[in-house]
Amino acid sequence: MKRFMWPLVIFLVMAGFLFKGLNLDPREVPSPLVGKPAPQFSLPRLDDAQKVFTPKEMLGKVWLFNVWASWCGACRDEHPLLVELSKTGFVPIYGMDYKDTREEAQQWLDHGGNPYAAVAVDADGRVGIDYGVYGVPETYVIDKTGTIAYKQIGPITEEALRDKIIPLVKGLQAK
């Protein structure tokens, strides 16, 4: 009888883990970078390849870092929200065009509006790897010390903006 008890116990424990896992939100993947300094880089800017953008320029400011691409359908979904947010002047938004061509990225911004103070070009995706980009879009809230405070996987929604990002940015700006 005891011989059948252990397999049953193991089965019930595994079924419990499976049941719990099925109720998790796949967009809530914890990032090992949250709470750690944002990876440093120096990339050419989209508007002028002779200029570079580096996160060091942002020390002392709370800012959003949005990774996007012109070929990304979900980026199109979040883009109007980013444009509206940028018009408020609440928080500076910097972008990184990921694995894209300069021409297509610039055309996309010209057509849909440009919410970014600057856009870095990560044509080969190496900086995206440093940031742990699973896929675009992804957005990071970076605090005044250059530490990643939050990572949004997937498009920013009105709910995520209202419930998570804006309150977090307000709190970080007050520090």
Side-chain angles (χ1 to χ4, degrees):
M1 187 71 167
K2 288 184 180 180
R3 161 174 99 166
F4 297 109
M5 189 62 93
W6 282 112
L8 178 62
V9 169
I10 292 171
F11 172 77
L12 290 174
V13 168
M14 293 194 59
F17 282 124
L18 177 63
F19 182 74
K20 180 173 171 64
L22 290 174
N23 291 314
L24 296 176
D25 183 353
R27 292 187 182 186
E28 296 289 329
V29 177
S31 172
L33 294 177
V34 173
K36 295 186 178 159
Q40 292 300 308
F41 63 85
S42 180
L43 287 174
R45 288 176 47 155
L46 180 63
D47 61 339
D48 185 349
Q50 303 307 311
K51 295 180 181 178
V52 296
F53 173 74
T54 177
K56 288 180 185 177
E57 298 172 27
M58 301 308 297
L59 287 176
K61 298 177 185 173
V62 177
W63 56 291
L64 299 184
F65 184 51
N66 178 251
V67 183
W68 62 278
S70 65
W71 46 262
C72 165
C75 297
R76 289 187 187 103
D77 294 340
E78 79 172 358
H79 196 74
L81 282 173
L82 293 174
V83 170
E84 289 304 312
L85 180 61
S86 72
K87 288 178 184 177
T88 68
F90 171 67
V91 63
I93 306 170
Y94 287 79
M96 184 169 72
D97 183 34
Y98 182 72
K99 294 185 177 182
D100 206 352
T101 67
R102 296 180 81 82
E103 296 78 24
E104 289 175 351
Q106 191 60 58
Q107 286 175 359
W108 192 71
L109 290 177
D110 291 345
H111 178 344
N114 187 350
Y116 307 107
V119 176
V121 177
D122 186 21
D124 61 8
R126 292 183 190 264
V127 173
I129 291 170
D130 292 342
Y131 273 80
V133 172
Y134 295 102
V136 290
E138 290 189 5
T139 304
Y140 302 81
V141 176
I142 302 178
D143 73 12
K144 294 176 184 180
T145 67
T147 301
I148 295 174
Y150 176 74
K151 178 180 179 179
Q152 169 78 29
I153 297 172
I156 291 175
T157 62
E158 289 182 23
E159 294 79 21
L161 203 55
R162 179 188 66 234
D163 299 340
K164 293 180 183 178
I165 295 171
I166 289 176
L168 176 60
V169 169
K170 283 182 180 178
L172 292 171
Q173 288 172 337
K175 287 184 179 181

